[in-house]
Amino acid sequence: MGICGIYIKYLLRGNYVHAPASAELKISPSATLHNVKIYVSPGAKLEIGNDCRISNVLICVEKGECIIHEKCIIGPSNKNQTTNIIINDGSMHVGHHTKLSLERIWIRFGGSLRIGNYTNINGGSEIRCDESVKIGNYNQISYGVRIWDTNTHSILSKEERRRVTETHYPYYGYESSKPKTSPVCIGDDCWIGEKASILKGTKLGDEIIVGYNCLLSGQEIPNKSVVVTKSVLDVRRIQ
């Protein structure tokens, strides 16, 4: 079922959809939406597949596309919160049977986010994508996890940062140029512990366990490894 038009309200269970005629918007008739706000800009694309369940979510696609495949569940575990999916410029593809309860996804500067099938990302987590983030299949990602492929801010001179701040006040931290980035790749069957940070340039193989509060940046972790603080142990040595 396609929904297009100017200032359209999707009159089911408190939802709101705003999309101009030139936007491409497809919501399966078998999808269930509750308290969902959708904004799709001219030329942008949003598809929500069969039997998806989406609640308490903001989806904003300014430039690019967001494709959510069948039987996904998206929305915060706490009904008083909101899951925010913001695509300023880029693309997001979510595989089937995936559950996203995270706090925010933010894609800029043509970034590409790919999340596989049967993957779960829990509340309070965040994905920042300015280049490329790939998350495979059957992953369990805990609470408060950060997955960033970007420094998020460019390092400007004092004078330039002050100029930008004054120009865009009260919006602090405005960025007009792409910060330093490096792709993040997470394989299949990984378990990422609470408050872990997977930062730019990190590559995790398959069947990786990342412990509580670990920070990884620019590292390549081989298959079947356990990461505890700053050490990497072969899983087979500790079983």
Side-chain angles (χ1 to χ4, degrees):
M1 176 178 67
I3 301 178
C4 310
I6 300 176
Y7 296 105
I8 296 176
K9 286 188 177 180
Y10 189 65
L11 298 175
L12 292 175
R13 307 185 71 184
N15 303 303
Y16 178 78
V17 174
H18 176 194
S22 59
E24 185 175 349
L25 179 59
K26 297 180 181 179
I27 300 175
S28 168
S30 64
T32 301
L33 279 64
H34 176 244
N35 193 27
V36 175
K37 293 179 174 60
I38 293 173
Y39 300 87
V40 185
S41 296
K45 177 180 180 180
L46 171 64
E47 292 186 9
I48 298 175
N50 297 332
D51 300 313
C52 287
R53 289 186 284 152
I54 303 178
S55 59
N56 300 308
V57 174
L58 167 66
I59 303 175
C60 179
V61 187
E62 295 183 4
K63 182 180 179 181
E65 65 180 19
C66 177
I67 299 176
I68 301 168
H69 290 279
E70 64 271 16
K71 297 185 184 297
C72 287
I73 301 172
I74 302 179
S77 52
N78 185 335
K79 294 182 180 180
N80 294 321
Q81 297 176 342
T82 301
T83 291
N84 295 289
I85 298 174
I86 309 297
I87 303 176
N88 296 134
D89 178 12
S91 63
M92 168 178 163
H93 288 222
V94 181
H96 59 80
H97 293 86
T98 280
K99 182 180 179 183
L100 304 177
S101 301
L102 74 179
E103 180 179 346
R104 181 170 68 168
I105 292 172
W106 193 358
I107 303 172
R108 311 179 301 175
F109 301 107
S112 171
L113 171 62
R114 299 292 184 270
I115 302 174
N117 309 318
Y118 289 98
T119 282
N120 176 51
I121 305 178
N122 278 309
S125 295
E126 180 186 60
I127 298 173
R128 296 284 301 267
C129 177
D130 287 348
E131 182 177 346
S132 174
V133 173
K134 295 180 181 178
I135 301 172
N137 308 307
Y138 296 95
N139 290 299
Q140 296 285 346
I141 298 175
S142 189
Y143 299 88
V145 173
R146 295 291 180 264
I147 301 173
W148 295 359
D149 71 353
T150 172
N151 281 354
T152 74
H153 292 290
S154 298
I155 305 301
L156 305 178
S157 67
K158 177 183 70 176
E159 292 76 17
E160 178 64 11
R161 178 58 69 192
R162 287 186 176 191
R163 186 194 67 79
V164 170
T165 299
E166 291 173 3
T167 300
H168 296 279
Y169 176 83
Y171 180 32
Y172 284 90
Y174 178 84
E175 296 296 326
S176 60
S177 60
K178 183 177 178 180
K180 289 184 179 180
T181 63
S182 186
V184 169
C185 184
I186 298 172
D188 300 332
D189 302 287
C190 296
W191 190 293
I192 299 179
E194 186 172 354
K195 296 184 179 179
S197 297
I198 313 298
L199 303 184
K200 72 180 197 297
T202 298
K203 182 177 180 181
L204 303 183
D206 299 332
E207 300 180 61
I208 303 294
I209 297 174
V210 177
Y212 177 91
N213 206 31
C214 288
L215 186 152
L216 296 173
S217 179
Q219 295 175 262
E220 184 169 343
I221 308 300
N223 295 342
K224 296 187 176 181
S225 296
V226 173
V227 180
V228 182
T229 60
K230 295 183 179 180
S231 64
V232 180
L233 302 175
D234 190 322
V235 170
R236 289 168 295 183
R237 292 206 302 265
I238 65 174
Q239 287 180 340

